[in-house]
Amino acid sequence: MNALVSGPCFPFEFLHAEIIRYEKQREIKANDLEVERTDKRKNWIEQMRSNPQMEVSLLDEQLKSVKQLFIQGNAETRLEALGYRIGFVLVEKIAKDLPRLITELERMKFLCKEFWTAVFGRQVDNLRTNHQGIYVVQDNKFFILTSFPEGKQYVEESAIYLAFPCGIIRGALYNLGITSLVTSSVENVPAVKFHVHMQQKS
Amino acid sequence: MNALVSGPCFPFEFLHAEIIRYEKQREIKANDLEVERTDKRKNWIEQMRSNPQMEVSLLDEQLKSVKQLFIQGNAETRLEALGYRIGFVLVEKIAKDLPRLITELERMKFLCKEFWTAVFGRQVDNLRTNHQGIYVVQDNKFFILTSFPEGKQYVEESAIYLAFPCGIIRGALYNLGITSLVTSSVENVPAVKFHVHMQQKS
């Protein structure tokens, strides 16, 4: 077992439960969409029959693209959303025995210490803020990238691997009362900077 | 960290990589599908114009349902497929330092001992066969169900949680040269019987 796990032990149970929920919802949504499209198609056919020279663009408006309806964002967005829901749940488990966190800074410190250790296996190496709503959280050995070769070679490839943890951070902060946008930047694998942009004062 | 992980440490890295691959493919597929459907729609419109009273069923044949094209199976099938790909990869890591496994029984024993310990955190409690291509692998404390209340109350709900591990087992066996179907049954949570139906002699 341990030979397969190089980093810390990520809580599989929460991820698995979320994947199940996700696939179930996808199934329900596909069924709904199918019904909706069948109805629209009937409409469309009737309109075409009554007016065969009708502008196709008018019909297209009725029938939004499959992509718009069904995909909802690209791979990165969906990985971020998966992480968001897991972060939201995890923070409750981790914060439940702690005193209430009042200030923004207290919450950010909790994120960097207790939460980071529990979920990502270590404390962060640095936390900075410009005092204008942006925090930069730096982890010099971010667990997801520790299996990558070190250095600048795989910086680009690493981006998609950070969508999920960005979501985890955003979800955790949201459940702590902080609405934020979280992005990441990598200059040297496995060091990552997470940029937390506050959306409103909590 | 440990407070969040009740069972063994599932290798997160492999699962995460697979989820990324899955979401990327979904994106590519959605784009392809969109192009394909736009073409079909054009065809459809032309046919409707030239023959407004055309049977709708004939048009429908051209335009397969979104569900068929896009979903490919229900939640259970997709969870199983996700597990399959992870099992396939994991077995290579686990078997790489072992001597070559020759017989079917040797491979099944490897599954129940080394593989099971590495991935599911313990050895199985029982392995039986009818010598006609069916093996029953019994794990009385299957790690995914250890967070469920014990007993018969959640037997039904547990089913969807076993799709992923069924896939893992099928993927692992496939990469060991055994083509099989794997199903599960639960009488008392957290005990699970996995039924391995051999599809061809290897």
Side-chain angles (χ1 to χ4, degrees):
Chain A
M1 164 109 275
N2 295 324
L4 295 174
V5 182
S6 54
C9 185
F10 189 85
F12 166 79
E13 195 184 308
F14 298 91
L15 178 56
H16 186 222
E18 211 37 71
I19 294 171
I20 289 171
R21 202 189 64 87
Y22 175 86
E23 293 294 356
K24 275 185 178 169
Q25 283 207 334
R26 199 173 153 199
E27 197 176 324
I28 292 166
K29 202 167 165 193
N31 286 329
D32 291 352
L33 185 58
E34 194 58 29
V35 170
E36 192 188 327
R37 289 180 72 88
T38 306
D39 288 350
K40 282 199 177 152
R41 203 185 295 175
K42 274 186 203 152
N43 259 329
W44 218 41
I45 290 166
E46 277 164 27
Q47 289 196 34
M48 280 295 283
R49 280 187 177 153
S50 58
N51 181 8
Q53 295 314 316
M54 187 176 176
E55 267 294 319
V56 173
S57 59
L58 292 175
L59 293 172
D60 272 348
E61 264 173 42
Q62 287 181 27
L63 203 65
K64 272 190 222 153
S65 80
V66 178
K67 216 177 141 189
Q68 270 177 294
L69 276 167
F70 199 69
I71 296 296
Q72 298 193 312
N74 56 14
E76 206 167 334
T77 313
R78 290 197 305 280
L79 289 162
E80 204 271 349
L82 182 68
Y84 174 84
R85 294 190 299 268
I86 295 168
F88 191 96
V89 175
L90 284 177
V91 80
E92 272 178 18
K93 304 272 168 193
I94 299 163
K96 73 171 194 282
D97 297 326
L98 292 175
R100 194 172 144 72
L101 304 162
I102 309 291
T103 68
E104 186 179 282
L105 189 61
E106 277 175 358
R107 293 170 193 180
M108 286 304 296
K109 282 184 175 169
F110 165 78
L111 173 83
C112 293
K113 206 176 161 187
E114 285 86 355
F115 185 83
W116 215 270
T117 309
V119 180
F120 303 140
R122 62 197 303 275
Q123 289 186 28
V124 307
D125 292 291
N126 203 323
L127 169 65
R128 282 188 213 178
T129 176
N130 67 352
H131 298 290
Q132 298 187 348
I134 298 181
Y135 288 82
V136 178
V137 178
Q138 189 172 337
D139 184 334
N140 293 334
K141 285 181 188 165
F142 191 59
F143 88 111
I144 285 180
L145 300 189
T146 49
S147 58
F148 280 60
E150 291 192 13
K152 297 185 188 298
Q153 198 184 352
Y154 290 99
V155 165
E156 213 173 299
E157 286 79 1
S158 71
I160 189 84
Y161 284 79
L162 297 170
F164 178 70
C166 278
I168 290 183
I169 296 165
R170 187 171 67 89
L173 287 175
Y174 189 78
N175 206 357
L176 292 174
I178 294 177
T179 307
S180 64
L181 281 178
V182 180
T183 57
S184 63
S185 64
V186 177
E187 281 172 25
N188 252 300
V189 172
V192 184
K193 282 182 187 166
F194 291 96
H195 307 264
V196 180
H197 307 253
M198 301 295 161
Q199 297 298 296
Q200 60 193 34
K201 288 281 169 195
S202 56
Chain B
M1 167 110 273
N2 296 324
L4 295 174
V5 182
S6 53
C9 186
F10 189 87
F12 165 79
E13 194 185 309
F14 298 91
L15 178 55
H16 186 221
E18 211 38 70
I19 295 171
I20 289 171
R21 202 189 64 87
Y22 176 84
E23 293 294 355
K24 276 185 179 167
Q25 283 206 335
R26 197 174 154 199
E27 197 177 323
I28 293 166
K29 201 167 166 194
N31 286 327
D32 290 353
L33 185 57
E34 195 57 30
V35 170
E36 192 188 325
R37 288 180 73 86
T38 306
D39 288 350
K40 280 199 177 153
R41 204 186 294 173
K42 275 187 202 153
N43 259 329
W44 217 40
I45 290 167
E46 278 164 26
Q47 290 195 33
M48 280 295 283
R49 281 189 175 150
S50 58
N51 181 9
Q53 296 312 318
M54 185 175 177
E55 268 295 321
V56 173
S57 60
L58 292 175
L59 295 172
D60 272 348
E61 263 172 43
Q62 286 182 27
L63 202 65
K64 271 190 222 153
S65 80
V66 178
K67 216 177 140 188
Q68 269 178 292
L69 276 166
F70 199 67
I71 296 296
Q72 297 193 311
N74 57 14
E76 206 166 336
T77 313
R78 288 197 306 280
L79 289 162
E80 203 270 349
L82 182 68
Y84 173 85
R85 293 189 300 268
I86 295 169
F88 190 96
V89 175
L90 283 176
V91 81
E92 272 178 17
K93 304 272 168 189
I94 300 164
K96 74 173 193 283
D97 297 326
L98 291 176
R100 195 173 143 73
L101 304 162
I102 309 292
T103 68
E104 185 178 281
L105 189 62
E106 276 175 358
R107 293 170 193 181
M108 287 304 297
K109 282 185 176 171
F110 165 78
L111 174 82
C112 293
K113 207 174 162 191
E114 285 85 355
F115 185 83
W116 215 271
T117 309
V119 180
F120 302 140
R122 60 197 303 276
Q123 289 186 29
V124 309
D125 294 290
N126 204 323
L127 168 65
R128 282 188 212 177
T129 177
N130 67 351
H131 298 290
Q132 298 186 348
I134 296 181
Y135 288 81
V136 178
V137 178
Q138 188 171 338
D139 184 335
N140 293 333
K141 285 181 188 167
F142 191 59
F143 88 112
I144 284 181
L145 300 188
T146 48
S147 58
F148 280 60
E150 291 191 12
K152 297 185 188 298
Q153 198 183 352
Y154 291 99
V155 164
E156 213 172 299
E157 286 79 0
S158 72
I160 189 84
Y161 284 78
L162 297 170
F164 179 70
C166 278
I168 291 183
I169 297 165
R170 185 171 67 89
L173 287 176
Y174 189 78
N175 206 358
L176 291 175
I178 293 177
T179 307
S180 64
L181 281 179
V182 180
T183 57
S184 64
S185 63
V186 177
E187 281 173 24
N188 252 301
V189 172
V192 184
K193 282 182 187 166
F194 291 95
H195 306 263
V196 180
H197 308 253
M198 302 295 162
Q199 297 298 297
Q200 60 192 37
K201 287 283 170 196
S202 55

